């Protein structure tokens, strides 16, 4: 089912016309109401009237996370606070949080975007949906909550953590949809097993709406195996309003972008130059419908590709590939670019290895060294040194092929790597630059 056929299946030319109109409105609103943007636009000598085609987007200045931090807390608000009905903040732990505000209309737009993604994940009024994203400043809990209510699903607002209770309620309430980070879904499956509950046969969860962190194909497969559920990957970020930028239609062909609300481009992260459709680079987002916090050309740091081809699901909106990593968490190890998601792809191929891992990067003299700690599957934990060595060799072989680097593998006992209820941290970079 398609939630809003008019928008999601709109003819491309009509969509681009609508985007152009909204882009001009957004630029003039930012110029008139936000001193930061007036300064940045004046510096470039650009006004809304200079935007004649969507390609003129490139005339506009970029916005960075640093810009948003410096305007803490309300510097980028385009409306008086009395019109703001909600604020949210970024989930990062370093520095000041990014603050975003929502007017009543913004709440409505946000909820509409979520309703579309939820519907394409096949969730509707028949579903009982357990939201295990944090409720609070983080946009995940409340964002999905309102979207779920809009489509008529029954919401169980569990928030994150309290894992045994999550499983108990899933069983007692007959939960059919789980909303969480993908790493928490993996952890919940383990908790269930320890309680003697097989998520596949003893629970009714048939679909997961995941997001908030990368969900590699390997992780998707692991979740599917443990839960027997359909796995959907949904993308968004606080700076442009939270979840609701794009979502999975189940065709395995990338995530549909809510294009009437967001204008997307791909740039070369080093030069800032625009890249054509199909090429991998950094995603840049301009909001088209935000009243409280419009954002021009936000540099997300997320690495992906845009796909304009029509999708078999019938939606005509542009799609983005799964996020492959971030330009700022891409590691360069001995000159090779390495994304944590590649490690996951490799681990998924090796029998006996789990998705729980940590990359530790150090420097020995002038040379980078990478160690990857990998947690073993309980069934493969043994005293037999030869068996363990074989798993280690298999991981190294696959890593060499997938990532092209040599590293040290340290196998660790089952249940010893840290579990998270929210976003996981996979990299420890101890090099001094
Ligand atoms: O994580 C918003 C969100 C909540 C999206 C719930 C989806 C579901 P932030 O905390 O600001 O907002 O983190 C945003 O998380 O720039 C990406 O690097 C990463 N991220 C979010 N969703 C995905 C995803 C929310 N599906 C940052 N795949 C983004 C990969 C994701 N990375």
């Amino acid at each position: 089912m398609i939630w809003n056929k008019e928008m999601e299946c709109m003819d491309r030319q009509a969509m681009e016309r609508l985007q152009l109109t909204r882009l001009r409105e957004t630029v003039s609103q930012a110029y008139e109401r936000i001193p930061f943007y007036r300064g940045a636009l004046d510096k470039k000598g650009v006004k809304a009237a200079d935007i004649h085609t969507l390609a003129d987007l490139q005339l506009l200045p970029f916005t960075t996370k640093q810009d948003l931090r410096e305007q803490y807390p309300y510097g980028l608000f385009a409306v008086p606070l009395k019109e703001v009905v909600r604020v949210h903040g970024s989930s990062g732990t370093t520095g000041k949080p990014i603050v975003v505000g929502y007017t009543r209309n913004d709440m409505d737009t946000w909820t509409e975007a979520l309703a579309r993604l939820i519907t394409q994940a096949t969730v509707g009024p028949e579903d009982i949906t357990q939201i295990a994203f944090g409720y609070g400043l983080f946009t995940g809990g409340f964002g999905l909550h309102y979207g779920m209510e809009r489509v008529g699903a029954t919401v169980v607002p569990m928030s994150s953590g309290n894992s045994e209770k999550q499983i108990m309620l899933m069983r007692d309430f007959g939960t059919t949809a789980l909303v969480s980070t993908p790493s928490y879904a993996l952890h919940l499956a383990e908790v269930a097993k320890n309680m003697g509950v097989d998520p596949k046969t003893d629970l009714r969860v048939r679909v997961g709406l995941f997001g908030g962190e990368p969900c590699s194909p390997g992780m998707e497969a692991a979740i599917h195996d443990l839960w027997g559920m359909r796995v959907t990957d949904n993308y968004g970020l606080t700076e442009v309003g939270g979840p609701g930028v794009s979502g999975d239609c189940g065709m395995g062909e990338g995530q549909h972008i809510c294009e009437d609300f967001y204008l997307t481009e791909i740039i070369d992260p080093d030069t800032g130059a625009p890249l054509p459709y199909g090429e991998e680079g950094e995603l840049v987002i301009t909001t088209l419908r935000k009243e409280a916090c419009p954002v021009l050309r936000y540099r997300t740091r997320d690495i992906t590709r845009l796909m304009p081809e029509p999708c078999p699901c019938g939606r005509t909106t542009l799609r983005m590939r799964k996020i492959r990593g971030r330009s700022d968490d891409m590691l360069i190890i001995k000159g090779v670019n390495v994304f944590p998601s590649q490690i996951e792809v490799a681990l998924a191929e090796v029998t006996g290895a789990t998705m729980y891992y940590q990359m530790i990067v150090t420097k020995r003299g002038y040379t980078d060294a990478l160690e990857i700690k990998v947690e073993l599957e309980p069934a493969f934990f043994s005293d037999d040194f030869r068996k363990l060595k074989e798993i280690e060799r298999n991981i190294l072989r696959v890593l060499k092929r997938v990532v092209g680097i040599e590293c040290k593998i340290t196998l660790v006992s089952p249940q010893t790597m840290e579990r998270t209820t929210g976003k996981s941290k996979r990299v420890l970079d101890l090099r001094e630059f």
Side-chain angles (χ1 to χ4, degrees):
M1 195 192 137
I2 297 180
W3 177 258
N4 186 336
K5 271 216 166 100
E6 191 195 339
M7 288 300 172
E8 295 176 77
C9 304
M10 193 181 263
D11 163 73
R12 287 248 26 104
Q13 284 183 345
M15 176 58 82
E16 286 175 9
R17 275 197 303 275
L18 178 69
Q19 289 185 314
L20 183 59
T21 308
R22 290 186 175 178
L23 175 63
R24 283 205 201 101
E25 284 166 8
T26 301
V27 174
S28 87
Q29 168 203 22
Y31 188 87
E32 299 300 328
R33 303 189 176 181
I34 308 173
F36 165 82
Y37 276 123
R38 185 172 317 139
L41 288 161
D42 278 344
K43 216 166 166 183
K44 288 234 161 202
V46 194
K47 292 214 165 56
D50 300 320
I51 309 283
H52 302 292
T53 69
L54 286 179
D56 291 333
L57 185 62
Q58 284 160 41
L59 303 173
L60 302 177
F62 288 117
T63 309
T64 64
K65 198 185 247 322
Q66 189 56 27
D67 294 330
L68 269 64
R69 283 214 175 102
E70 285 169 4
Q71 298 299 319
Y72 175 86
Y74 302 138
L76 290 175
F77 282 25
V79 295
L81 271 182
K82 66 171 194 268
E83 289 175 32
V84 173
V85 296
R86 175 89 68 81
V87 290
H88 277 287
S90 61
S91 51
T93 46
T94 48
K96 288 180 179 174
I98 304 300
V99 181
V100 287
Y102 305 75
T103 62
R104 212 171 280 287
N105 286 337
D106 288 336
M107 289 304 301
D108 197 53
T109 307
W110 190 22
T111 305
E112 160 72 20
L114 263 308
R116 293 182 196 170
L117 309 189
I118 290 166
T119 305
Q120 66 180 345
T122 71
V123 173
E126 309 294 324
D127 284 289
I128 299 168
T129 141
Q130 194 155 321
I131 299 189
F133 273 136
Y135 278 67
L137 278 185
F138 178 54
T139 50
F142 281 106
L144 266 296
H145 182 110
Y146 279 66
M148 286 291 180
E149 286 189 352
R150 171 95 30 120
V151 304
T154 306
V155 179
V156 183
M158 252 309 278
S159 196
S160 59
N162 223 339
S163 304
E164 292 197 352
K165 189 166 175 189
Q166 300 266 11
I167 301 299
M168 181 189 85
L169 293 192
M170 275 180 197
R171 193 169 43 185
D172 297 350
F173 291 1
T175 300
T176 57
L178 169 65
V179 178
S180 70
T181 57
S183 51
Y184 192 43
L186 285 177
H187 177 49
L188 281 176
E190 278 181 346
V191 173
K193 291 217 161 133
N194 291 339
M195 292 166 71
V197 174
D198 181 345
K200 227 177 190 163
T201 51
D202 301 334
L203 300 175
R204 292 179 51 211
V205 185
R206 62 167 191 88
V207 59
L209 277 88
F210 301 115
E213 65 178 6
C215 184
S216 65
M219 209 160 174
E220 261 191 35
I223 297 173
H224 177 75
D225 282 352
L226 288 162
W227 289 86
M229 65 159 87
R230 170 183 176 140
V231 176
T232 69
D233 190 359
N234 302 277
Y235 170 81
L237 59 159
T238 313
E239 292 83 345
V240 300
V245 173
S246 68
D248 218 327
C249 65
M251 295 287 168
E253 294 285 339
Q255 300 159 30
H256 287 275
I257 297 167
C258 287
E259 279 195 282
D260 45 330
F261 301 148
Y262 296 108
L263 189 56
T264 48
E265 3 160 26
I266 297 290
I267 60 161
D268 177 325
D270 296 325
T271 64
L275 295 174
Y277 284 152
E279 275 195 34
E280 189 172 84
E282 181 181 329
L283 179 69
V284 172
I285 304 180
T286 300
T287 62
L288 296 176
R289 215 49 185 151
K290 289 276 280 166
E291 290 182 341
C293 291
V295 186
L296 303 182
R297 300 190 86 197
Y298 182 70
R299 291 197 55 166
T300 64
R301 294 277 167 200
D302 293 319
I303 304 291
T304 184
R305 286 186 279 140
L306 295 178
M307 306 154 62
E309 303 80 25
C311 180
C313 78
R315 291 176 183 80
T316 51
T317 42
L318 199 58
R319 282 165 293 155
M320 55 183 258
R321 278 278 176 204
K322 268 181 174 305
I323 300 290
R324 201 160 74 84
R326 290 180 57 84
S327 60
D328 54 0
D329 81 1
M330 182 185 79
L331 294 160
I332 304 180
I333 300 172
K334 292 186 198 162
V336 180
N337 295 354
V338 183
F339 288 105
S341 61
Q342 292 174 294
I343 308 294
E344 269 167 45
V345 170
L347 292 180
E349 280 191 35
V350 179
T351 313
T354 65
M355 283 288 137
Y356 295 103
Y357 68 95
Q358 188 181 35
M359 302 166 68
I360 302 159
V361 198
T362 50
K363 236 185 188 6
R364 290 205 197 105
Y366 291 108
T367 314
D368 298 327
L370 170 66
E371 176 190 359
I372 307 178
K373 286 189 179 167
V374 181
E375 188 178 299
L376 281 166
E377 288 273 11
F380 290 83
F381 184 52
S382 86
D383 291 335
D384 189 336
F385 186 70
R386 271 171 316 170
K387 281 191 183 148
L388 294 177
K389 270 283 161 212
E390 178 162 355
I391 296 179
E392 202 179 297
R393 265 199 306 276
N394 286 341
I395 298 176
L396 284 170
R397 185 174 42 76
V398 183
L399 273 175
K400 183 99 195 35
R401 174 166 53 77
V402 176
V403 195
I405 47 163
E406 311 261 356
C407 61
K408 175 174 182 254
I409 299 295
T410 307
L411 297 176
V412 302
S413 328
Q415 303 291 334
T416 49
M417 302 286 292
E418 192 194 6
R419 285 0 184 204
T420 67
T421 60
K423 305 191 187 208
S424 48
K425 193 134 184 59
R426 304 290 198 199
V427 180
L428 196 60
D429 194 342
L430 302 173
R431 289 174 295 184
E432 279 179 16
F433 292 94

